[in-house]
Amino acid sequence: MAKNIINILRTNHITVAFVAQESGLDVAQVNKVLQRPVATWSIQILNALADALGERPGELLEQIQDFPFQLQTDDGQLTIQHVQFQTLSSYQQVRFAVESNVLEGWEPTAKEVRMLREAAENPDDEMASEIERLFGDRDE
């Protein structure tokens, strides 16, 4: 569930007056905005709140909006979280890894899936050799 912005400000000992001062708005205007749904806020307000909290606006937005996670895969299009894969093999490899970790609570972003796709489609032989050396057959 999304955190209430007023509670976030209180937890961080930040007043609405401070946010207003930082944004160049008056306190009444900021109070009025904070009573409205997040979707109606201006970028100026979001930036002022994020700045006052020492966070990036996107990070703050993720905390205060309620976006339920949904893993999106499409076997026909070879996509995971709308990230297109070039081969069925790399798609299946990454999909298995992603689904396994989602069951453990991970909520992958498209950016993270792109990184996994890159590793699957363009493996680093040097890294693979090092992993094999570290975790390979231990019976030797």
Side-chain angles (χ1 to χ4, degrees):
M1 172 168 276
K3 295 180 181 178
N4 181 308
I5 188 63
I6 301 299
N7 290 336
I8 293 172
L9 292 173
R10 281 187 190 134
T11 299
N12 288 281
H13 308 291
I14 295 173
T15 65
V16 172
F18 179 74
V19 173
Q21 178 183 338
E22 291 296 301
S23 65
L25 302 171
D26 63 47
V27 174
Q29 189 177 9
V30 174
N31 269 325
K32 185 177 177 182
V33 167
L34 297 181
Q35 301 307 314
R36 297 191 328 239
V38 174
T40 66
W41 293 1
S42 70
I43 296 298
Q44 182 183 16
I45 289 291
L46 180 62
N47 287 341
L49 289 164
D51 187 50
L53 290 163
E55 295 189 23
R56 297 178 63 117
E59 293 169 345
L60 178 59
L61 198 54
E62 284 182 19
Q63 291 179 50
I64 59 179
Q65 288 194 104
D66 200 9
F67 289 120
F69 174 77
Q70 181 179 7
L71 179 60
Q72 298 172 334
T73 60
D74 184 326
D75 293 341
Q77 296 295 315
L78 303 181
T79 62
I80 303 170
Q81 301 304 79
H82 304 289
V83 175
Q84 179 89 45
F85 287 76
Q86 297 301 312
T87 66
L88 179 60
S89 169
S90 63
Y91 167 75
Q92 289 174 331
Q93 176 185 359
V94 172
R95 181 175 176 174
F96 175 76
V98 167
E99 286 177 340
S100 297
N101 285 285
V102 164
L103 290 174
E104 297 294 325
W106 182 43
E107 297 181 358
T109 63
K111 181 179 179 180
E112 292 167 327
V113 173
R114 280 191 293 275
M115 290 171 54
L116 292 171
R117 176 192 63 194
E118 180 64 26
E121 292 181 353
N122 300 301
D124 182 342
D125 291 336
E126 195 173 302
M127 179 65 73
S129 295
E130 183 65 13
I131 290 170
E132 178 62 29
R133 185 184 73 73
L134 291 171
F135 300 105
D137 190 3
R138 301 267 183 185
D139 293 338
E140 295 178 353

